[in-house]
Amino acid sequence: MPVPVKICGLTRPEAVAAAVAGGAAFVGFVFYPRSPRAVMPEVAGQLAAAVPKGVTKVGLFVDADDATIARVLAAVPLDLLQLHGHETPERVAAIRARFGVPVMKVLPVAEPGDVEAADRYAPAVDRLMFDSRPPRRPDALPGGNGLPFDWRLMAGRRWPVPWMLAGGLTPENVAEAVRLTGAEAVDVSSGVEDAPGVKNVGKIAAFLAAARAA
């Protein structure tokens, strides 16, 4: 069975079309102003209108307040909220209850204890995502930095909710990442770009093909 793929950080119609045509199970829109992949809610709403039923529309938020999330949801019919900041399990549960939309919490990973932190979040989420811990520099983003972590940290791990692997994935390494981690789904952003925020439709197609063959 093919590994479901999320193409994140979509900003242009041609990239959305390539993701859908290639069989992506998830498409992601970023609502974090500091990101080069950020889109305004109105733009994301237009992009989301081209996404067929059955493809999950994901909104990425970083420590967003309720007003911000509500403003986005008023413009974009999101199916999943991706929380990519320092949200506590309590905050995650509150967002899930407040908006009635499934939630995925992203956990940054650099060492075994980071993976074990997922146990605290599992009761409060519908999905988990494991991404590389951001580099220690002022301009580092919470995600989309193109850096993998030690995939062996994920070997044999299981949780009561589905989980997704992110961080430095490319068409060239996604099959190996799935083999080493047993990932149930994968997420890519920078690995299918020509520059931050500029998706390459050929790379999107190649990644989706590589994931199907994983």
Side-chain angles (χ1 to χ4, degrees):
M1 182 175 178
V3 177
V5 174
K6 174 173 171 280
I7 306 293
C8 194
L10 296 167
T11 61
R12 300 179 183 181
E14 59 268 26
V16 173
V20 170
F26 305 81
V27 293
F29 307 105
V30 176
F31 302 104
Y32 178 51
R34 282 189 56 211
S35 173
R37 305 170 183 94
V39 289
M40 296 298 294
E42 296 74 20
V43 173
Q46 295 171 2
L47 295 172
V51 177
K53 187 176 180 180
V55 178
T56 300
K57 298 178 290 294
V58 185
L60 186 156
F61 300 86
V62 178
D63 298 316
D65 58 22
D66 284 358
T68 297
I69 298 172
R71 187 164 58 250
V72 171
L73 287 173
V76 193
L78 296 174
D79 305 306
L80 182 65
L81 306 180
Q82 177 176 329
L83 306 179
H84 213 127
H86 296 91
E87 300 90 356
T88 64
E90 293 76 21
R91 173 60 178 153
V92 171
I95 290 172
R96 189 186 190 201
R98 165 74 172 80
F99 295 102
V101 178
V103 168
M104 175 166 64
K105 179 68 181 93
V106 183
L107 298 174
V109 177
E111 56 190 42
D114 297 330
V115 179
E116 293 161 7
D119 295 337
R120 297 170 46 233
Y121 284 92
V125 301
D126 300 275
R127 287 182 173 270
L128 293 163
M129 178 186 285
F130 298 89
D131 197 357
S132 302
R133 183 174 292 282
R136 297 180 182 276
R137 61 173 194 258
D139 63 337
L141 296 169
N145 295 297
L147 300 172
F149 61 90
D150 184 353
W151 295 323
R152 292 170 298 182
L153 295 174
M154 303 299 303
R157 302 279 187 162
R158 294 293 181 270
W159 291 272
V161 295
W163 64 275
M164 193 176 294
L165 179 71
L169 298 178
T170 67
E172 293 74 28
N173 69 16
V174 63
E176 179 70 357
V178 171
R179 185 185 71 81
L180 288 175
T181 65
E184 299 172 2
V186 293
D187 172 279
V188 66
S189 186
S190 61
V192 293
E193 291 180 337
D194 289 329
V198 182
K199 294 290 189 285
N200 179 306
V201 296
K203 291 179 180 179
I204 290 174
F207 188 95
L208 289 163
R212 280 197 301 273

